[in-house]
Amino acid sequence: MKKLFVFLATLFMSIQVLAVDFKPFEQASFDAALQTNKPVLVDVYADWCPTCKRQLSILEPMLQEEQFKDYSVFKVDYDQQKEVLKRFNVTRQSTLILFNEGKELRRGIAETNESRLRQFITVSE
């Protein structure tokens, strides 16, 4: 039994969990993420928005993939963070903004096609 426990503990510790968290948007954290020169995704989300929910159901598992492990992802609450919406010049929920190397690369609105979302968030080397 002890050998089984040691084996399982070793196995558990050796598994890399590729988890990209959707962090609530905070300006200081966002600024720090931009300084890393790694990809940063901003998701303008509303709980009541079916398009936002569809985007999230596609993006969450996609962002767990190895190629996206270095991404920082921030969720902006469309209903509560109006000052952030103004700062990003966003007028609609379900808006995605992708940054890389500290600069905005692209933005999209209401995209729910899996292959187009993958293309949208993929940063070419």
Side-chain angles (χ1 to χ4, degrees), residues 16-125:
Q16 279 191 331
V17 177
L18 302 174
V20 173
D21 293 329
F22 282 71
K23 300 174 192 100
F25 184 89
E26 294 177 353
Q27 190 65 49
S29 298
F30 173 74
D31 292 342
L34 287 180
Q35 295 297 317
T36 67
N37 288 326
K38 294 181 181 177
V40 177
L41 180 64
V42 174
D43 176 17
V44 179
Y45 183 90
D47 289 331
W48 48 264
C49 170
T51 303
C52 299
K53 290 176 184 179
R54 177 72 180 133
Q55 279 180 332
L56 188 62
S57 74
I58 296 167
L59 286 171
E60 275 186 326
M62 192 180 293
L63 287 166
Q64 304 309 311
E65 297 173 14
E66 174 73 24
Q67 65 183 333
F68 303 117
K69 69 178 173 35
D70 291 332
Y71 281 46
S72 295
V73 183
F74 294 93
K75 194 179 251 187
V76 175
D77 186 316
Y78 180 78
D79 295 314
Q80 301 296 319
Q81 295 182 290
K82 297 298 185 184
E83 72 287 346
V84 178
L85 300 179
K86 288 178 187 173
R87 197 170 311 132
F88 283 124
N89 196 26
V90 170
T91 58
R92 284 191 52 188
Q93 72 281 0
S94 74
T95 298
L96 299 171
I97 309 170
L98 182 65
F99 295 83
N100 191 42
E101 297 181 351
K103 298 177 187 161
E104 183 177 330
L105 286 182
R106 60 184 79 92
R107 57 177 64 206
I109 300 171
E111 182 59 67
T112 59
N113 176 279
E114 185 173 349
S115 63
R116 287 193 295 262
L117 277 172
R118 179 176 299 280
Q119 184 177 17
F120 177 87
I121 67 170
T122 300
V123 175
S124 301
E125 297 294 320

